[in-house]
Amino acid sequence: MNKSKLFTIKNRQIDWLFRKVVLLAALSILGLALLIAWELFLHSKLPIEKFGWSFLWKTTWDPVGEIFGALPFLYGTLVTSLLALLIAVPVGLGMSVFLSELAPPWIASPVSFMVELLAAIPSVIYGLIGIFVLVPAMRESGEPFLKQILGFLPFFQGPAYGVGMLTAGILLAIMILPFIVSVSREILLSVPNAQREAILSLGATRWEMIWIAVLPYARSGILGSVFLALARALGETMAVTMVIGNRPDIKLSLFEPAYTMAAIIANEFSEATSEFYSQALIEIGFMLFGVTILIHALARLLIYRVTAKTEGRI
Amino acid sequence: MISFVFRRKIINALMLSLAGLCALLILSVLFFILGYIVIHGLSGFRFDFFTQLPRPVGESGGGMAHAIVGTLKLLGLAALIGIPLGLTGGLYLSEYGQKNLIGFLVRYASDLLNSIPSIVIGIFAYILIVLPMGHFSALSGGIALACILIPITIRNTEEVLKLVPSSIREAALALGVPEWKMICFVVIPTAGRGIITGILLGLARVAGETAPLLFTAFGNMYWNQNILDPVASLPVMIYTYAISPYEEWHQLAWTAALALLLLILGINLMSRLLLRWQIRN
């Protein structure tokens, strides 16, 4: 065998090896995702077997008697996340409309960069701001003010503690804003210009153009960005733990302290004394995992639909 | 008729300025947060903070040197595990897995890992490392952070590698260069700075993670060298000091927040400058 042939064979072997190594790395990611799901399931088996589905609607959380129900945490998570969406979606949408439709590029690009900075601030720093700025502000002025003008509603009653679902919702809103802004800005930019020009040529004002021609076109993509933000909000841990008040109650008033799924894991996991107790906490984590996967898949599907549509039509 | 036109114009002006107001509101929140942290953190921003260990309650002074080193140590561990895996995974997606089933599954899995709440990753690392070993350790914290870093690196690497024009790949192959050499010495260097930018952004994101460290790296109050021992980190220190009842500790939490913010924004800005520099060349 001559030398050049040997060279070719050697290279082919290396090529083969290279492919296999790279494939292995890629497959290990798949394995990692499956492993996480499997380990979480395996280590929450005891409470799953003991409580079954009743874990979802029982309200007792008694580590000493080993009776666990996750409803207060589900409720707290849901209320704070929805509250955050209620605040963040209109404001975030307003900003992304401003960035994509109104602002000239020399304003839009630095401002988008600043929004990314907002996303880069770690959650524990939001929590710090929450404890020392937002909570006192809510206690002394925000909640009394709300009670004065909206106190007839059951949502705004009771003593103003400062900590509670409302404060957590506001803080969460600030944290998910960057995601809504950056994703829905991308979506709005992908709306074809023909859409805008057509309605402007009919004599529409700028706002009518946005309201009639741009936003409906981007509707499902924007919904996708909202779901993406929701997935963030549901799993957000540190900032919420620091301002929610950590009390496993189900109360209608938004001023009341509550608890979220992520918060109880953060607070009690390293102190869980018995195996059953820590497995109950892991089951909450498993639930959190399942819910985020579901919402994330829905969000991807919605965003994919808009971007696919744009490529198809004009 | 006139009033109808007038009304439309009014609504137009109103809604557009409302959109501008939203933008202004968000920006002012950003500047408020940054400004507040700088003002409150700066008063404790002394030399001691970076060289001293925490003092007991009641004694003023002291610092968080061990937490700064701990954060760097955890980042190093995460990078050591996460970057090779993430890089090769991204390489697979862009070079071999553009359209096949494995590529789709891996892409989906990494998106999924990206969206899992970080506290769940913490539980995973706890089950995987802390439970069998019987105690908290820096290693488990590093692995938890790596699990967050891997999906970010994969997707960033894939995006950047996809930008490398296929003509470059074909040119190399036409010269008789074997595939692995083409990838290692032509494709990767072409996308080099983009890849590094992606990795740096991932590290910046991971540096601020607190939740997965609570029951993996845990934290302590002294120096340690062993990666099998618990290690302190800036985010966890901020958390424990912020919820403590002591005034001096709150001050330290603000200063630590400023230090963490500087670290993260520093990495962030550096990576962006790197990318801009490449585009200009």
Side-chain angles (χ1 to χ4, degrees):
Chain A
M1 214 184 284
N2 62 25
K3 211 174 172 187
S4 75
K5 206 165 188 180
L6 210 74
F7 179 74
T8 320
I9 290 174
K10 203 179 104 200
N11 267 324
R12 248 186 224 154
Q13 281 168 342
I14 296 177
D15 260 355
W16 180 84
L17 195 71
F18 187 76
R19 258 169 202 258
K20 292 295 168 218
V21 168
V22 172
L23 180 67
L24 204 69
L27 285 179
S28 72
I29 312 307
L30 203 61
L32 183 66
L34 292 174
L35 188 67
I36 291 177
W38 174 245
E39 290 281 356
L40 287 177
F41 173 71
L42 203 67
H43 283 83
S44 51
K45 240 186 171 161
L46 292 178
I48 288 178
E49 273 166 8
K50 187 172 175 197
F51 301 122
W53 291 105
S54 76
F55 190 70
L56 296 181
W57 62 76
K58 286 276 163 52
T59 54
T60 330
W61 186 261
D62 176 11
V64 182
E66 300 209 324
I67 300 165
F68 298 107
L71 191 65
F73 314 113
L74 275 170
Y75 177 77
T77 306
L78 218 64
V79 170
T80 48
S81 301
L82 292 182
L83 207 62
L85 285 187
L86 211 66
I87 301 166
V89 170
V91 179
L93 216 55
M95 180 163 194
S96 46
V97 162
F98 172 79
L99 286 178
S100 74
E101 310 292 325
L102 305 175
W106 63 269
I107 292 182
S109 68
V111 170
S112 312
F113 171 69
M114 288 176 200
V115 172
E116 276 172 45
L117 280 191
L118 202 57
I121 298 176
S123 137
V124 70
I125 290 185
Y126 279 108
L128 197 65
I129 294 278
I131 285 191
F132 293 113
V133 184
L134 194 59
V135 168
M138 289 301 285
R139 187 171 50 226
E140 266 129 47
S141 45
E143 289 180 356
F145 174 74
L146 277 173
K147 204 149 70 176
Q148 216 167 37
I149 54 168
L150 292 167
F152 56 90
L153 291 171
F155 307 117
F156 302 104
Q157 285 172 356
Y161 296 110
V163 294
M165 290 188 277
L166 184 63
T167 312
I170 293 173
L171 200 59
L172 267 179
I174 300 172
M175 297 178 67
I176 62 176
L177 262 170
F179 295 98
I180 295 182
V181 172
S182 61
V183 179
S184 47
R185 174 173 172 256
E186 292 292 317
I187 301 277
L188 290 180
L189 286 176
S190 81
V191 172
N193 264 332
Q195 194 84 359
R196 298 189 179 88
E197 285 155 10
I199 194 160
L200 283 180
S201 71
L202 292 175
T205 62
R206 202 87 173 263
W207 168 249
E208 285 163 345
M209 171 196 89
I210 295 165
W211 188 245
I212 299 171
V214 176
L215 287 180
Y217 191 93
R219 191 168 43 207
S220 67
I222 289 171
L223 207 61
S225 82
V226 171
F227 275 112
L228 226 51
L230 180 63
R232 290 263 155 201
L234 290 176
E236 182 45 58
T237 314
M238 299 320 296
V240 176
T241 309
M242 290 159 92
V243 300
I244 187 96
N246 298 337
R247 191 195 289 168
D249 284 342
I250 300 179
K251 295 267 177 65
L252 203 55
S253 173
L254 297 176
F255 296 167
E256 291 287 340
Y259 228 141
T260 68
M261 293 157 80
I264 187 144
I265 301 173
N267 273 333
E268 297 191 355
F269 196 74
S270 53
E271 293 157 13
T273 39
S274 73
E275 184 168 10
F276 195 79
Y277 185 14
S278 71
Q279 290 220 356
L281 288 167
I282 295 176
E283 189 181 351
I284 290 185
F286 189 45
M287 278 157 59
L288 210 52
F289 177 78
V291 172
T292 0
I293 289 177
L294 217 68
I295 291 174
H296 183 79
L298 213 61
R300 285 282 153 210
L301 202 70
L302 287 166
I303 290 176
Y304 173 75
R305 266 180 49 194
V306 174
T307 35
K309 194 164 77 174
T310 314
E311 279 156 23
R313 290 189 197 168
I314 310 167
Chain B
M1 190 63 201
I2 288 175
S3 78
F4 177 62
V5 172
F6 189 64
R7 215 185 65 193
R8 284 175 58 202
K9 275 190 177 162
I10 291 281
I11 289 179
N12 183 43
L14 199 74
M15 295 314 272
L16 293 190
S17 42
L18 218 58
L21 217 62
C22 288
L24 211 63
L25 182 73
I26 296 176
L27 286 187
S28 51
V29 167
L30 170 70
F31 285 119
F32 174 78
I33 292 176
L34 292 183
Y36 203 89
I37 288 169
V38 169
I39 289 170
H40 280 249
L42 217 53
S43 59
F45 214 68
R46 283 186 296 265
F47 190 63
D48 279 1
F49 181 82
F50 298 94
T51 54
Q52 302 266 315
L53 289 177
R55 299 252 172 88
V57 180
E59 277 182 51
S60 64
M64 288 196 187
H66 69 309
I68 295 170
V69 173
T71 287
L72 294 179
K73 208 191 271 180
L74 286 169
L75 276 181
L77 273 171
L80 213 63
I81 304 163
I83 289 174
L85 258 178
L87 253 175
T88 30
L91 203 64
Y92 176 83
L93 286 183
S94 84
E95 303 301 314
Y96 303 108
Q98 286 279 17
K99 288 196 178 82
N100 59 12
L101 180 69
I102 296 179
F104 172 78
L105 286 177
V106 171
R107 206 167 285 128
Y108 190 79
S110 61
D111 269 354
L112 206 138
L113 281 177
N114 221 343
S115 71
I116 296 176
S118 56
I119 188 131
V120 175
I121 302 276
I123 295 181
F124 171 68
Y126 176 88
I127 294 173
L128 205 66
I129 313 288
V130 179
L131 220 48
M133 270 188 13
H135 57 86
F136 302 112
S137 62
L139 180 68
S140 59
I143 286 177
L145 293 186
C147 288
I148 300 169
L149 185 62
I150 287 170
I152 302 174
T153 315
I154 285 194
R155 293 315 300 265
N156 284 340
T157 309
E158 188 203 354
E159 291 303 318
V160 175
L161 286 179
K162 272 203 297 205
L163 293 180
V164 175
S166 53
S167 59
I168 290 183
R169 294 191 177 87
E170 284 154 15
L173 289 177
L175 289 174
V177 176
E179 201 175 19
W180 69 275
K181 273 190 184 163
M182 182 268 286
I183 291 171
C184 292
F185 299 112
V186 178
V187 176
I188 291 180
T190 313
R193 287 211 187 84
I195 294 176
I196 294 173
T197 303
I199 290 173
L200 285 177
L201 283 178
L203 281 175
R205 152 97 197 276
V206 164
E209 285 292 348
T210 318
L213 298 179
L214 286 176
F215 31 80
T216 52
F218 196 65
N220 61 28
M221 289 292 182
Y222 46 83
W223 292 106
N224 73 342
Q225 265 73 46
N226 195 343
I227 63 163
L228 297 180
D229 284 338
V231 70
S233 60
L234 275 176
V236 177
M237 287 299 271
I238 295 173
Y239 175 61
T240 36
Y241 275 34
I243 59 173
S244 76
Y246 313 113
E247 200 59 46
E248 304 100 25
W249 282 22
H250 294 167
Q251 177 53 49
L252 276 173
W254 283 112
T255 310
L258 180 60
L260 184 63
L261 206 63
L262 285 178
L263 176 72
I264 288 172
L265 296 188
I267 299 176
N268 229 313
L269 283 178
M270 199 166 79
S271 63
R272 276 165 215 280
L273 286 180
L274 205 66
L275 199 64
R276 187 166 292 180
W277 189 51
Q278 181 186 24
I279 290 168
R280 201 177 296 157
N281 286 357

